Amino acid sequence: MIVTTTPSIEGKRITRYCGVVAGEAILGANVVKDFFAGIRDIVGGRSGTYERELQKAREIALKEMQERASEAGANAVVGVDLDFEVLGQGNGMLMVSASGTAVVVE
């Protein structure tokens, strides 16, 4: 399935619009990860643990969006938008949502 942030796909013609589709992933951060990320923040550098969790959440949201597009009969999703939020008490949850327009291209 073709997934793109652009409103069209070069060299492809959209023949049918199947509607807006979305996928979400909400992951919790645990205390051990928070502790080591805090140390990393103090000494500088990147937090590999959080980067991996963010990547995992993004992949889940995109996969879920593609599954919903496929169920709608689409073979592509255009205009994809990714949103990242922190939720919950003490911002302990990471939410990633992906949305776009499911289409059929030829």
Side-chain angles (χ1 to χ4, degrees):
M1 178 167 297
I2 299 170
V3 176
T4 181
T5 59
T6 60
S8 61
I9 301 168
E10 189 173 342
K12 302 282 185 182
R13 185 171 68 87
I14 295 173
T15 59
R16 184 166 57 102
Y17 289 86
C18 303
V20 174
V21 290
E24 300 84 18
I26 300 175
L27 301 177
N30 80 30
V31 176
V32 174
K33 290 179 188 174
D34 287 345
F35 175 75
F36 287 111
I39 291 173
R40 177 73 66 161
D41 288 342
I42 292 169
V43 298
R46 296 168 59 171
S47 174
T49 301
Y50 278 125
E51 287 177 1
R52 284 187 295 279
E53 287 299 305
L54 186 59
Q55 179 180 4
K56 180 179 170 183
R58 185 178 59 244
E59 289 170 358
I60 291 168
L62 285 168
K63 182 179 180 202
E64 188 175 291
M65 181 191 67
Q66 289 177 62
E67 288 170 356
R68 290 183 177 154
S70 182
E71 290 168 4
N75 64 357
V77 182
V78 296
V80 173
D81 180 51
L82 291 168
D83 290 313
F84 303 86
E85 299 289 334
V86 287
L87 307 168
Q89 196 171 37
N91 293 330
M93 305 291 281
L94 169 67
M95 179 183 78
V96 178
S97 64
S99 62
T101 303
V103 298
V104 174
V105 296
E106 55 180 38

